[in-house]
């Protein structure tokens, strides 16, 4: 099955490269984008406005010498605010990070609702991680904690989710979160379910530069 | 719940494709957009729905039964409500590329484009020839006609409106397409498939209209260029159905700051004098526990006809039958997808009958199924199923057929400049989106006073990143 494991699969004898779509969910202002910004650019901005301006971000993780996982990370672009996420958002998502704020107990309830929504809308074998963010606030002032670790962890275990408490601000557990997801992805069975345009047989790539590249793949059936 | 801003640059009502493209483009250009739909899903009239929703929309089943259950998982179905395909080299493709909305979508070719000649049991179905080489092989024409067609197609390729030496001695501002056809000595049947299956005119009014020849030639070229781009047919189609298109542009809009509210009804359009200045609306549908009422202002309001019933007129009716099949269309070489055009003259009508067929190859239904939509413009006031019959006859055994009342086509009465309300047109009977993108450009011009140049949009985006 190695031939299906992504575009760069043939580079070395034992190297594996696979790309996966990851979607973010959670209430507004729990730090979804901040976690991604930390993971992708190793940056943090306290006064970051609501999400604007990126179709999706990508970041790769090397699990070992031979295995590279590339995440294509989709942000909600604010469409979760008034419950207006499109089915397109969930379509072909391989994994999801559902974020809540450990200083706001209501945000865990929202997270649980998003998990339900994922189970309804996304692939049935999607890998979901629950992330309790803003750990830095609690480390500074323990009385700010509104969601006990044990409570969230118990829920995550029961629902079959990966679970981490994270801080996008200090980077605590952010890399660990994505690495854990990468390890759980089905690298051996298939490559990316969300292949880029043109990689699918008969698919066409509309971009002006790469437009002609797929001709061979698309026009061979006659 | 985050607060709704007291003022936007633009409020857009309805999430059909026209509205979503406009919303996306305006957001990229820096406008603050609030985009509302009364439904709980994107797409409005241009949505793709699952098979359970389709049964419920048409209501063609006995209460208490659940006929959709025999068609597998409802969510494996994405059935278009508007039967259209994208021209590979058309305007919508340009807009998709220049806005990078292609990042969210995957396209596949439509496997073939066919035309019917004759009627009844003697009818034949053949591929529409797209270039001179195909013309020579086409069963649609006799040996001498093939050569005439070949020279016509070659001439279309070299035609230059600005260069009279390529005009064959005709005056392009005055002569008709009939005179062009006469010049090449083309037979009636050939004119039929050129005009209807290549230029994609819905009726024959283009033939005798003076000065219409350049438009016809341009359309034939668009057809040829679109076929040349990927091969098999001039059309491409998004995986998971056309409903992905509005969603893609809505995401573009959201990424550039557009605010989205589904399930939100407009209670009142607020006016100051003759100008619309805002809306009162309620978020939360009939079954939602919390409703939020709000009021907000905007410089202008865009929307589809359903939001402004008093400001639109009916310009025609489309007839449409959505059919579920378990086999490809006969005569199409088992194509997994195709367009089949039955020119009006072949079946004694004034308007063509279109069949658009897609299948599991485009992830719109489970394996083994085909979705064929037969459509035409209504010419009578009753017995509409008879008008579609020549198209339905081409489908063979139909597992399930969904056909409602004739669908009214709306257009705005006014251009919107007087009241700041800019209304789109309904999705018409053409088989592609060229008229939709014309409408987008027209609304953009009416609303902003500027021409919409899609080519520069990518640069705007790159500059901001």
């Amino acid at each position: 099955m190695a031939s299906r494991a992504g575009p760069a699969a043939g580079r070395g004898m034992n190297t594996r490269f696979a790309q996966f779509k990851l979607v973010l969910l959670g209430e507004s202002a729990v730090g979804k984008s901040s976690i991604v910004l930390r993971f992708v650019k190793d940056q943090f901005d306290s006064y970051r406005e609501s999400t604007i301006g990126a179709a999706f971000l990508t970041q790769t993780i090397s699990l070992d010498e031979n295995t590279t996982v590339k995440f294509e990370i989709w942000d909600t672009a604010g469409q979760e605010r008034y419950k207006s996420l499109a089915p397109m958002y969930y379509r072909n998502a391989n994994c999801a990070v559902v974020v809540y704020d450990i200083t706001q107990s209501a945000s865990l309830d929202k997270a649980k609702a998003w998990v339900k929504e994922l189970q309804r809308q996304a692939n049935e074998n999607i890998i979901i991680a629950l992330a309790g963010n803003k750990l830095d606030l609690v480390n500074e002032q323990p009385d700010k904690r509104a969601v006990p670790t044990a409570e969230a962890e118990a829920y995550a275990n029961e629902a079959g989710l990966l679970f981490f408490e994270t801080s996008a601000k200090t980077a605590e557990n952010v890399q660990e979160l994505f690495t854990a997801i990468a390890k759980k992805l089905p690298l051996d069975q298939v490559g990316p379910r969300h292949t880029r345009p043109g990689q699918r047989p008969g698919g066409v790539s509309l971009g002006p530069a790469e437009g002609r590249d797929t001709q061979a793949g698309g026009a061979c059936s006659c | 719940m985050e607060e709704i801003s007291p003022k936007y640059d633009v409020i857009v009502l309805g999430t059909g494709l026209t509205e979503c493209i406009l919303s996306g483009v305006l957001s990229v250009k820096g406008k603050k957009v609030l985009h509302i739909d009364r439904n709980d899903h994107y797409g409005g009239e241009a949505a793709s729905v699952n098979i359970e929703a389709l049964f419920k929309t048409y209501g063609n089943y006995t209460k208490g039964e659940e006929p959709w259950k025999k068609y597998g998982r409802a969510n494996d179905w994405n059935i278009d409500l508007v039967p259209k395909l994208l021209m590979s080299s058309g305007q919508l493709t340009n807009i998709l590329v220049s806005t990078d909305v292609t990042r969210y979508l995957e396209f596949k070719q439509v496997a073939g484009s066919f035309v019917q000649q004759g009627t009844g049991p003697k009818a034949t179905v053949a591929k529409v020839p797209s270039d001179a080489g195909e013309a020579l092989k086409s069963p649609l024409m006799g040996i001498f006609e093939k050569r005439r067609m070949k020279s016509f197609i070659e001439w279309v390729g070299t035609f230059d409106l600005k260069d009279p030496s390529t005009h064959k001695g005709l005056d392009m501002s005055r002569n008709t397409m009939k005179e062009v056809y006469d010049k090449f000595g083309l037979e009636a049947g050939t004119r039929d498939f050129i005009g209807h299956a290549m230029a994609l005119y819905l009726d024959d009014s283009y033939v005798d209209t003076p000065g219409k020849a350049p438009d016809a030639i341009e359309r034939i070229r668009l057809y040829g260029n679109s076929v040349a781009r990927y091969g098999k047919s001039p059309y491409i189609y998004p995986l998971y159905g056309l409903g992905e298109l509005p969603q893609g542009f809505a995401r573009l809009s959201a990424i550039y700051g557009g605010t989205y509210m589904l399930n939100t009804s407009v209670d009142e359009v607020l006016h100051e004098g003759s100008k619309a200045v805002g809306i009162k609306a309620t978020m939360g549908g009939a079954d939602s526990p919390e409703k939020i009422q709000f009021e907000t202002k905007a410089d202008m309001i865009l929307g589809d006809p359903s939001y402004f019933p008093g400001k639109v007129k009916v310009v025609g009716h489309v007839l449409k039958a959505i059919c579920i099949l378990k086999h490809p269309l006969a005569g199409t070489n088992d194509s997994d997808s195709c367009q089949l055009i039955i020119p009006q003259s072949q079946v004694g009508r004034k308007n063509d009958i279109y069949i658009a067929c897609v299948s599991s190859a485009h992830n719109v239904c489970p394996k083994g199924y085909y979705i064929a939509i037969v459509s035409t413009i209504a010419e009578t006031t009753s017995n509409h199923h008879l008008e579609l019959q020549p198209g339905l006859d081409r489908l063979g055994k139909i597992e399930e057929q969904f056909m409602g009342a004739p669908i009214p086509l709306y257009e705005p009465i006014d251009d919107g400049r007087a009241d700041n309300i800019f209304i789109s047109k309904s999705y018409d009977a053409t088989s592609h989106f060229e008229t939709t993108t014309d409408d987008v450009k027209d609304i953009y011009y009416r609303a902003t006073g500027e021409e919409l140049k899609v080519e520069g949009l990518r640069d705007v985006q790159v500059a901001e990143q």
Side-chain angles (χ1 to χ4, degrees), chain B residues 184-202:
Chain B
F184 288 87
L186 293 171
E187 293 167 1
T190 311
R191 297 176 190 208
D192 237 16
F193 77 70
I194 292 173
H196 295 266
M198 297 177 79
L200 299 166
Y201 286 111
L202 296 164

Side-chain angles (χ1 to χ4, degrees), chain B residues 71-337:
Chain B
Y71 293 100
R73 278 185 8 170
N75 282 338
D76 287 342
W77 293 83
N78 297 289
I79 303 163
D80 300 330
L81 299 178
V82 173
K84 283 184 182 287
L85 306 166
L86 285 85
M87 302 287 291
S88 308
S89 294
Q91 274 303 312
L92 182 54
T93 308
N94 280 352
I95 294 174
L96 282 161
V97 170
S98 61
T99 54
D100 269 346
V101 169
T102 44
R103 288 177 173 217
Y104 312 129
L105 303 164
E106 278 184 74
F107 288 89
K108 262 184 130 170
Q109 294 179 61
V110 170
S113 165
F114 299 87
V115 63
Q116 174 174 327
Q117 266 195 345
T119 180
K122 280 186 291 181
T124 55
V125 168
K127 186 175 189 297
V128 180
S130 63
D131 59 28
E134 282 193 353
L136 287 177
K137 285 185 280 181
S138 176
L140 290 166
M141 296 164 286
I143 179 86
F144 297 109
E145 183 70 356
K146 281 182 176 142
R147 294 191 190 149
R148 290 189 283 267
M149 176 66 180
K150 176 173 178 281
S151 68
F152 172 75
I153 289 187
E154 283 168 350
W155 172 72
V156 166
T158 57
F159 177 84
D160 179 355
L161 186 57
K162 293 191 192 107
D163 180 0
S165 74
T166 65
H167 296 184
K168 288 261 171 192
L170 294 167
D171 178 350
M172 283 299 148
S173 64
R174 282 212 344 264
N175 282 116
T176 62
M177 199 58 197
K178 178 181 181 301
E179 286 162 307
V180 173
Y181 288 146
D182 287 346
K183 199 94 192 165
F184 288 87
L186 293 171
E187 293 167 1
T190 311
R191 297 176 190 208
D192 237 16
F193 77 70
I194 292 173
H196 295 266
M198 297 177 79
L200 299 166
Y201 286 111
L202 296 164
D203 59 39
D204 258 348
S205 62
Y206 80 98
V207 177
D208 294 313
T209 310
K212 197 85 173 168
D215 179 58
I217 293 163
E218 195 48 50
R219 282 161 166 254
I220 297 164
R221 270 195 187 170
L222 172 61
Y223 187 92
N225 290 342
S226 293
V227 177
R229 189 152 181 192
Y230 300 115
K232 301 174 190 170
S233 83
Y235 299 114
I236 53 174
Y237 184 87
L239 296 187
Y240 304 102
L242 298 176
E244 299 291 283
L245 296 167
Q247 292 179 43
F249 285 102
R251 181 165 169 83
L252 174 73
S253 177
I255 280 167
Y256 283 88
T259 300
Y260 275 82
M261 285 183 193
L262 301 183
N263 225 357
T264 299
S265 53
V266 178
D267 304 318
E268 189 187 340
V269 175
L270 304 170
H271 284 81
E272 269 172 26
S274 62
K275 302 265 185 197
V277 293
I279 56 165
K280 276 188 182 171
T282 307
M283 187 176 11
D287 52 345
S288 65
E290 43 182 335
K291 286 185 192 289
I292 295 163
Q293 292 191 310
F294 63 93
E295 185 177 322
T296 185
K297 301 253 164 137
D299 294 336
M300 64 178 83
I301 299 175
L302 315 184
D304 77 46
S306 70
Y307 290 86
F308 305 99
K311 291 178 175 291
V312 294
K313 61 187 176 195
V314 176
V315 294
H317 287 87
V318 172
L319 306 177
K320 180 181 74 181
I322 300 172
C323 301
I324 311 285
L325 313 177
K326 280 187 173 168
H327 54 82
L329 298 193
T332 64
N333 307 322
D334 292 343
S335 293
D336 60 32
S337 51

Side-chain angles (χ1 to χ4, degrees), chain A:
Chain A
M1 297 303 274
S3 64
R4 294 187 62 188
R11 216 161 27 193
M13 286 300 281
N14 298 311
T15 56
R16 290 185 300 180
F17 177 91
Q19 183 168 320
F20 295 94
K21 174 176 173 180
L22 184 149
V23 295
L24 289 166
L25 288 164
E27 201 181 354
S28 300
V30 294
K32 296 186 292 295
S33 302
S34 295
I35 289 177
V36 174
L37 197 64
R38 173 60 75 190
F39 174 55
V40 173
K41 297 187 175 163
D42 201 17
Q43 291 171 357
F44 182 79
D45 180 353
S46 307
Y47 302 101
R48 204 161 176 279
E49 293 276 324
S50 291
T51 311
I52 193 160
F56 44 75
L57 296 167
T58 57
Q59 177 64 300
T60 52
I61 286 187
S62 296
L63 286 182
D64 57 50
E65 283 180 5
N66 302 321
T67 312
T68 307
V69 170
K70 183 173 184 179
F71 287 110
E72 179 183 291
I73 304 166
W74 289 44
D75 207 313
T76 57
Q79 283 178 304
E80 85 286 11
R81 230 174 297 157
Y82 304 110
K83 300 197 180 84
S84 300
L85 275 173
M88 167 184 279
Y89 188 69
Y90 301 98
R91 190 158 335 272
N92 295 319
N94 304 94
C95 41
V97 176
V98 180
V99 185
Y100 69 98
D101 174 350
I102 60 173
T103 69
Q104 306 284 340
S105 62
S107 70
L108 180 62
D109 297 331
K110 285 278 169 64
K112 290 177 182 174
W114 283 115
V115 170
K116 269 193 188 153
E117 189 68 6
L118 274 167
Q119 286 161 344
R120 194 173 71 83
Q121 296 237 32
N123 290 338
E124 43 198 279
N125 43 8
I126 187 170
I127 290 160
I128 305 173
L130 181 69
N133 195 36
K134 306 199 182 176
L135 189 55
D136 52 282
L137 294 180
V138 172
N139 288 344
E140 278 167 25
Q141 286 179 276
D143 61 326
K144 276 200 166 178
R145 179 183 283 278
V147 181
T149 309
E151 183 194 327
E153 195 163 19
Y155 160 71
N157 285 338
E158 187 189 323
L161 319 176
L162 293 165
F163 173 67
F164 288 88
E165 285 189 341
T166 58
S167 167
K169 190 172 181 182
T170 67
E172 189 173 354
N173 274 343
V174 171
Q175 188 69 29
E176 287 81 354
L177 166 73
F178 287 92
T179 305
I181 294 169
K183 284 182 175 163
K184 250 192 125 178
L185 287 163
L187 296 171
D188 292 328
Q189 301 160 23
V190 289
R193 254 165 277 162
H194 185 80
T195 47
R196 299 311 308 153
Q199 292 174 4
R200 203 181 281 260
V204 293
S205 173
L206 300 185
E210 71 267 79
R212 296 278 157 173
D213 293 347
T214 54
Q215 279 261 359
C220 60
S221 67
C222 42

Side-chain angles (χ1 to χ4, degrees), chain B residues 361-395:
Chain B
H362 297 88
N363 298 8
V364 293
C365 57
K367 274 212 157 47
Y369 287 103
Y370 294 77
I371 302 168
I373 307 185
V374 182
S375 62
T376 190
I377 292 173
E379 294 175 3
T380 58
T381 50
S382 59
N383 292 326
H384 291 112
H385 60 286
L386 294 179
E387 294 197 53
L388 289 175
Q389 199 55 47
L392 296 171
D393 286 346
R394 292 248 56 97
L395 303 187

